Amino acid sequence: KNEVEQSPQNLTAQEGEFITINCSYSVGISALHWLQQHPGGGIVSLFMLSSGKKKHGRLIATINIQEKHSSLHITASHPRDSAVYICAVEASGSRLTFGEGTQLTVNP
Amino acid sequence: GAVVSQHPSWVICKSGTSVKIECRSLDFQATTMFWYRQFPKQSLMLMATSNEGSKATYEQGVEKDKFLINHASLTLSTLTVTSAHPEDSSFYICSATTQGGAGNYGYTFGSGTRLTVV
């Protein structure tokens, strides 16, 4: 069993839909990160969470430390949101452990 | 915001040659630099961790003599793939950290380098 598990692996949505990507982890962490990887490969850090909820534009990230679970929500999805979304946890030191990623495709 | 510049973005080289990939933190000092490898449709795999001025720490199974990492300054780290072979073809990406509050680290990723060895 992976230390970080994401669901779903693939997600196709219509433009405007509300999207949720889930992440569960099995280790104690100091922070959880949500990353976005575009088709060209570059990775952008979206959120770093250690508790509660953060919002940036149409993106919302929540974390429940007791349940070892985090969600990434995208409101009013748009085709430009199409990317791979990766959950990563930071445990000891500054190493990241990555989930397998969720491939999101938003159709116009 | 923090930016990490990674070059080259893609490179094709002949088998047996060496390739150097650079990552520079442009507007901050990177305490630690991580080097990852990614195969198609797979997640990032940590290869090594480097701190400025000290030897890199390699993950199990990563050959340190093949993947040479130099972190000579707080703004520059390099990965050299020596005597490259076709099986080294992959996507390589770096990330740099600076210490944030409460012991958590902010990460900034480079744009990645796609290496093809022919």
Side-chain angles (χ1 to χ4, degrees):
Chain A
K1 192 179 192 302
N2 293 334
E3 290 183 345
V4 181
E5 295 205 339
Q6 285 183 236
S7 63
Q9 282 188 314
N10 294 283
L11 180 56
T12 300
Q14 287 300 121
E15 184 172 356
E17 286 184 358
F18 180 84
I19 288 163
T20 296
I21 300 171
N22 295 299
C23 176
S24 296
Y25 53 93
S26 57
V27 296
I29 66 170
S30 56
L32 182 143
H33 300 256
W34 282 103
L35 310 171
Q36 180 191 55
Q37 185 171 30
H38 279 280
I43 292 175
V44 174
S45 179
L46 299 175
F47 295 103
M48 181 173 72
L49 293 162
S50 54
S51 65
K53 175 180 174 178
K54 286 189 176 180
K55 185 176 189 293
H56 185 253
R58 295 180 295 106
L59 302 179
I60 302 166
T62 63
I63 187 169
N64 185 318
I65 295 293
Q66 286 73 32
E67 294 186 3
K68 293 187 166 60
H69 181 269
S70 176
S71 293
L72 176 68
H73 306 285
I74 304 175
T75 62
S77 59
H78 190 276
R80 64 175 175 266
D81 297 326
S82 298
V84 175
Y85 292 83
I86 302 169
C87 171
V89 300
E90 183 181 341
S92 60
S94 52
R95 292 175 53 134
L96 292 180
T97 302
F98 298 88
E100 295 290 321
T102 295
Q103 173 68 63
L104 172 65
T105 303
V106 182
N107 294 318
Chain B
V3 175
V4 171
S5 175
Q6 183 171 345
H7 292 282
S9 55
W10 61 271
V11 58
I12 301 172
C13 71
K14 289 186 177 179
S15 189
T17 61
S18 296
V19 173
K20 181 185 282 189
I21 301 169
E22 285 191 356
C23 275
R24 292 179 184 272
S25 56
L26 296 186
D27 48 3
F28 67 102
Q29 292 185 326
T31 317
T32 305
M33 194 78 79
F34 300 92
W35 286 95
Y36 302 94
R37 183 174 182 174
Q38 186 179 35
F39 292 105
K41 303 292 184 184
Q42 294 188 23
S43 192
L44 296 161
M45 182 189 78
L46 179 65
M47 298 175 67
T49 303
S50 73
N51 295 293
E52 182 263 340
S54 60
K55 288 185 179 179
T57 301
Y58 289 81
E59 295 300 300
Q60 194 171 11
V62 178
E63 298 176 59
K64 63 180 180 182
D65 295 329
K66 181 168 185 62
F67 298 99
L68 300 178
I69 291 171
N70 185 285
H71 195 162
S73 76
L74 282 170
T75 59
L76 174 64
S77 179
T78 61
L79 167 67
T80 302
V81 183
T82 63
S83 186
H85 286 97
E87 57 265 29
D88 298 324
S89 299
S90 189
F91 185 72
Y92 295 87
I93 191 165
C94 63
S95 75
T97 65
T98 55
Q99 186 154 6
N104 294 331
Y105 296 80
Y107 290 80
T108 304
F109 288 81
S111 53
T113 298
R114 191 159 305 281
L115 170 64
T116 303
V117 184
V118 297

